[in-house]
Amino acid sequence: STLTVELSNPTKYRSSYSVLSITSVGPYGISYTRDYQEKERLLHVDLYKPISTVAEWKEIRNDLAGNYQLQNDLDFKNAIDYVILDNFSGILDGNGHTIKNIDLGTSTASLYMFRKVSGTIQNLTVDHLTAISEKGSNTSASFIYDLVNDSVVDHVHIKNSSLKGGTVAGIAKEATNTIIRNSSVSNVKLEVESTRSVANNYAGGLVADISSYGTIENCFVSNITIDATKAKIPYGFGAMIGYIGPQTVLTNVYATGRIDANSPYVGGMIGKASEANHLTNGYSMVAINGSQGYTGGIIGDARGVTLKNVISLGNIYSKNASISPGRVVGEVATSTTINNIYGYKDQLINGYVSDETTDEILLSREQVMDAKVLTDQVKLGDAFAYDELEKGYLPKLYDTNGKT
């Protein structure tokens, strides 16, 4: 038999509800009620509290485990007191809408829109996010400070923003045990500046520091600018991720933009990567202007990384003439596995076109813009759209549902 349930007038907006009792009426009009313990019988359904104004946004703090859905775009210009300070464990569904003109101000403390997220943020665009966290190595600026405990970021796009601090990132300053998919950072400037040698400095277009167990899939960073020339304790500057700890996977990704640094651990995708990480299927066209070692077109320092099916296209320059940056990887540990990696034949390394290679295969411009080469040889895969190669545009990404 089928039981149909009608839900109405919820006092809490959740993704599951306990069924505490069921009453049925028999053929002779005799009713029977069965009682259940809390969480013994669960009804799984996502109910969302609608958000139409900035004032309603602020009410998220009254129920951090709730589900919320935007009904329209929100303009935060001249708004105050809207930061979510505690752990958000519910679902925030942007519903395809945009929050914009978010000025987090200037402070000697870390600045963010969300302090901690262990839930889900999805289908949201953030336009014109600005923050200046100054006068300290241990300050940061980002949309989210910390992603933890099976958190999910899905179809979240940060664009036209500027962030400054000792550690900076477009989406999150820190992440552990998190999934980021179908998300992007575009036209964003990240500036690393610290005045004290207190804490490590990181910068990443998506995340500055993934401690462990991160999954990044079908994500891109476009036209990012990272200025890390004023970092005190550099520990990883990458167009996508500054530093990744163990057990992190990146697949179907690309990055374009520029990084300037006077320090090591600089990469066109990842600044520094430790053991048991995987980076597959992607490309980087990031211009890097550095001065020290551990600098590469894809990864600056790779220790225990599996790297395959990637292309490095951006020019790489070191102010120190005695240092030759890596076309794909700056420093490779013996525990790193490299397979099927590529560089650009006309790529400039320290201002010169060079035929020198380590493990990479060089491709001409014609090959880079040939869909057959990218699919059959490089094996970028069907997560990329190749239909505009003839117009001179590099492949763009589909999302995990096959949509651009």
Side-chain angles (χ1 to χ4, degrees):
S1 61
T2 300
L3 177 64
T4 302
V5 179
E6 180 179 337
L7 302 176
S8 62
N9 301 319
T11 57
K12 297 285 186 180
Y13 297 81
R14 297 290 192 269
S15 295
S16 64
Y17 295 84
S18 291
V19 177
L20 299 180
S21 67
I22 295 178
T23 300
S24 60
V25 179
Y28 299 103
I30 300 174
S31 64
Y32 170 75
T33 298
R34 177 171 177 181
D35 296 323
Y36 298 95
Q37 298 295 318
E38 185 81 18
K39 297 185 178 180
E40 182 182 355
R41 292 289 187 272
L42 290 176
L43 182 64
H44 296 284
V45 58
D46 291 332
L47 297 183
Y48 294 93
K49 183 176 183 179
I51 293 179
S52 301
T53 66
V54 173
E56 290 175 345
W57 171 281
K58 296 178 183 181
E59 293 177 5
I60 293 174
R61 291 174 296 192
N62 298 329
D63 183 9
L64 295 169
N67 296 342
Y68 303 88
Q69 187 178 70
L70 297 191
Q71 303 303 299
N72 46 255
D73 296 346
L74 297 182
D75 190 342
F76 284 78
K77 187 175 182 180
N78 299 322
I80 60 173
D81 193 30
Y82 48 76
V83 172
I84 311 302
L85 294 174
D86 296 309
N87 179 24
F88 178 73
S89 58
I91 300 175
L92 174 63
D93 184 4
N95 198 23
H97 293 295
T98 297
I99 58 175
K100 62 183 179 180
N101 298 324
I102 303 164
D103 185 0
L104 297 176
T106 300
S107 175
T108 56
S110 292
L111 297 170
Y112 42 78
M113 191 76 166
F114 286 86
R115 170 64 181 83
K116 181 181 289 188
V117 173
S118 60
T120 296
I121 298 180
Q122 62 190 22
N123 306 321
L124 179 68
T125 296
V126 181
D127 190 7
H128 285 93
L129 170 69
T130 58
I132 300 175
S133 182
E134 60 182 2
K135 296 183 180 179
S137 290
N138 56 346
T139 62
S140 64
S142 53
F143 178 57
I144 302 167
Y145 183 88
D146 199 5
L147 286 166
V148 298
N149 301 339
D150 298 314
S151 53
V152 175
V153 173
D154 191 0
H155 285 94
V156 172
H157 307 286
I158 313 293
K159 65 180 186 179
N160 306 321
S161 298
S162 178
L163 302 164
K164 178 179 178 180
T167 289
V168 284
I171 292 179
K173 186 247 184 185
E174 299 176 2
T176 303
N177 196 19
T178 191
I179 296 173
I180 301 176
R181 59 177 173 244
N182 307 319
S183 297
S184 69
V185 172
S186 303
N187 301 318
V188 170
K189 179 179 180 180
L190 303 178
E191 185 176 355
V192 180
E193 181 173 352
S194 55
T195 57
R196 297 180 296 157
S197 300
V198 175
N200 295 330
N201 303 135
Y202 308 87
L206 296 176
V207 182
D209 174 13
I210 299 180
S211 299
S212 60
Y213 295 98
T215 298
I216 310 293
E217 56 182 345
N218 296 64
C219 293
F220 69 88
V221 172
S222 175
N223 194 31
I224 193 164
T225 301
I226 298 177
D227 181 355
T229 56
K230 297 179 182 178
K232 285 285 186 181
I233 309 180
Y235 210 72
F237 308 119
M240 300 200 79
I241 311 292
Y243 169 83
I244 57 174
Q247 304 294 336
T248 295
V249 175
L250 290 85
T251 186
N252 304 328
V253 292
Y254 74 82
T256 69
R258 177 185 177 91
I259 302 175
D260 293 283
N262 294 326
S263 57
Y265 312 126
V266 181
M269 283 191 175
I270 302 168
K272 186 174 184 178
S274 66
E275 69 240 23
N277 294 300
H278 297 261
L279 171 55
T280 61
N281 299 16
Y283 68 85
S284 169
M285 194 172 71
V286 177
I288 299 175
N289 185 14
S291 65
Q292 298 189 34
Y294 299 93
T295 298
I298 298 290
I299 303 177
D301 184 16
R303 301 182 179 275
V305 178
T306 297
L307 181 66
K308 68 178 182 179
N309 305 344
V310 297
I311 316 173
S312 172
L313 301 168
N315 298 329
I316 309 170
Y317 179 77
S318 174
K319 300 172 190 174
N320 188 335
S322 64
I323 293 176
S324 180
R327 189 189 299 271
V328 176
V329 180
E331 183 73 14
V332 182
T334 56
S335 55
T336 291
T337 301
I338 292 178
N339 181 32
N340 199 42
I341 65 173
Y342 295 84
Y344 176 40
K345 185 177 180 181
D346 294 326
Q347 191 175 16
L348 298 180
I349 308 297
N350 279 348
Y352 298 95
V353 173
S354 172
D355 292 331
E356 289 187 21
T357 62
T358 50
D359 298 292
E360 63 269 16
I361 300 168
L362 299 185
L363 300 177
S364 66
R365 186 185 189 282
E366 290 72 23
Q367 289 174 306
V368 170
M369 305 306 289
D370 186 327
K372 186 173 179 59
V373 171
L374 296 180
T375 55
D376 295 352
Q377 182 177 344
V378 181
K379 296 181 173 60
L380 281 184
D382 56 11
F384 288 86
Y386 304 98
D387 52 313
E388 293 194 333
L389 287 172
E390 293 181 355
K391 300 178 183 179
Y393 297 107
L394 289 168
K396 298 298 186 286
L397 272 171
Y398 293 110
D399 66 12
T400 52
N401 299 314
K403 299 179 181 179
T404 54

